[in-house]
């Protein structure tokens, strides 16, 4: 264990001689370096890994000597690769903003999560929600006009004709056009069938 009380995890991979990432498969993971050496020793004795270019008993003798001298160099391991990483525990979430956010989202109720995922303003206060919606409607009015504004309010914001009127938009003329457009389309469709 290191002085800052973090525990390291040693991950032993089996791989090709060139140690390509795509060839790696996990053989074992442990927080005990002595156990890691035991597992590596078993791999060398079994002929699946080499140490300093030697396999089986000759490679094991080389590895044993390095262990006894306290000078194991994982880079001398052939057909194997050792990765060392910090063993993160739940209190470590505070160290990393991404972990903290993911933990918070994982533990929200379904209702709260869906509100965030779908961009709902339900969790905001009523005054704050009204302010945001007013700004969104002002933006729409500045960037769209007439029929385009009406379509944006209907299609993108999902507002009903009644809600559009209550929001202060004078777009009544387009309510009728929407009905007339669908009637014209039906007449044209019928005309095409007669031909």
């Amino acid at each position: 264990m290191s002085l800052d009380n973090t525990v390291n995890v040693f991950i032993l991979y089996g791989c090709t001689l060139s140690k390509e990432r795509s060839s790696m498969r996990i053989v074992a993971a442990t927080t005990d370096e002595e156990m890691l050496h035991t597992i590596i020793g078993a791999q060398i004795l079994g002929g699946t890994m080499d140490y300093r270019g030697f396999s089986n008993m000759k490679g094991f003798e080389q590895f044993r000597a390095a262990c006894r001298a306290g000078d194991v160099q994982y880079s001398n391991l052939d057909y194997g690769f050792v990765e060392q990483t910090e063993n993160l525990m739940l209190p470590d979430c505070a160290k990393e903003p991404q972990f903290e956010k993911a933990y918070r989202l994982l533990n929200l109720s379904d209702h709260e999560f869906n509100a965030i995922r779908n961009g709902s303003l339900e969790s905001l206060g009523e005054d704050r929600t009204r302010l945001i919606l007013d700004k969104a409607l002002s933006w729409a009015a500045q960037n769209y006009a007439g029929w385009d504004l009406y379509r944006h309010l209907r299609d993108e914001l999902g507002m009903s004709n009644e809600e559009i009127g209550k929001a202060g938009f004078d777009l009544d003329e387009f309510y009728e056009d929407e009905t007339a457009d669908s009637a014209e389309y039906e007449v044209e469709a019928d005309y095409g069938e007669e031909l």
Side-chain angles (χ1 to χ4, degrees):
M1 191 183 284
S2 60
L3 295 177
D4 64 357
N5 292 328
T6 59
V7 176
N8 289 319
V9 176
F10 300 95
I11 305 170
L12 175 64
Y13 296 92
C15 59
T16 60
L17 186 59
S18 60
K19 301 185 184 196
E20 294 169 346
R21 200 41 106 162
S22 62
S23 72
M24 292 187 181
R25 58 177 172 59
I26 294 178
V27 173
T30 180
T31 56
D32 185 343
E33 196 166 14
E34 192 173 358
M35 183 63 191
L36 173 69
H37 293 170
T38 302
I39 297 166
I40 292 171
Q43 294 290 310
I44 295 169
L45 281 172
T48 54
M49 291 183 189
D50 296 352
Y51 193 74
R52 292 187 180 155
F54 297 100
S55 59
N56 300 322
M57 188 52 77
K58 184 68 174 171
F60 184 80
E61 288 172 2
Q62 296 282 324
F63 184 68
R64 181 179 183 275
C67 287
R68 295 181 67 81
D71 188 31
V72 173
Q73 301 295 317
Y74 298 125
S75 58
N76 289 331
L77 190 61
D78 296 330
Y79 304 103
F81 180 79
V82 175
E83 185 173 50
Q84 188 174 337
T85 187
E86 185 180 345
N87 184 31
L88 297 175
M89 303 297 281
L90 198 53
D92 295 317
C93 283
K95 293 179 185 177
E96 182 66 48
Q98 291 174 326
F99 295 160
E100 188 175 9
K101 179 181 178 182
Y103 177 77
R104 186 174 48 81
L105 291 174
L106 283 169
N107 290 288
L108 287 175
S109 70
D110 289 343
H111 177 73
E112 293 171 315
F113 177 75
N114 288 331
I116 291 171
R117 186 187 62 167
N118 297 330
S120 171
L121 301 177
E122 290 177 12
S123 60
L124 298 176
E126 189 176 316
D127 291 340
R128 180 70 179 145
T129 300
R130 181 167 287 129
L131 178 65
I132 291 170
L133 289 174
D134 284 346
K135 287 184 178 184
L137 291 175
S138 294
W139 179 90
Q142 289 172 2
N143 290 284
Y144 296 102
W147 177 252
D148 291 332
L149 176 58
Y150 176 69
R151 291 303 343 148
H152 180 76
L153 296 175
R154 290 282 295 180
D155 300 339
E156 299 302 322
L157 300 182
M159 295 176 72
S160 67
N161 290 339
E162 183 182 350
E163 290 170 329
I164 291 170
K166 284 183 178 180
F169 294 102
D170 184 20
L171 300 171
D172 294 356
E173 62 189 278
F174 299 110
Y175 302 166
E176 297 168 0
D177 285 347
E178 185 180 43
T179 308
D181 282 349
S182 62
E184 279 180 32
Y185 178 75
E186 289 173 16
V187 170
E188 289 176 9
D190 290 341
Y191 178 73
E193 287 176 11
E194 291 176 9
L195 293 176

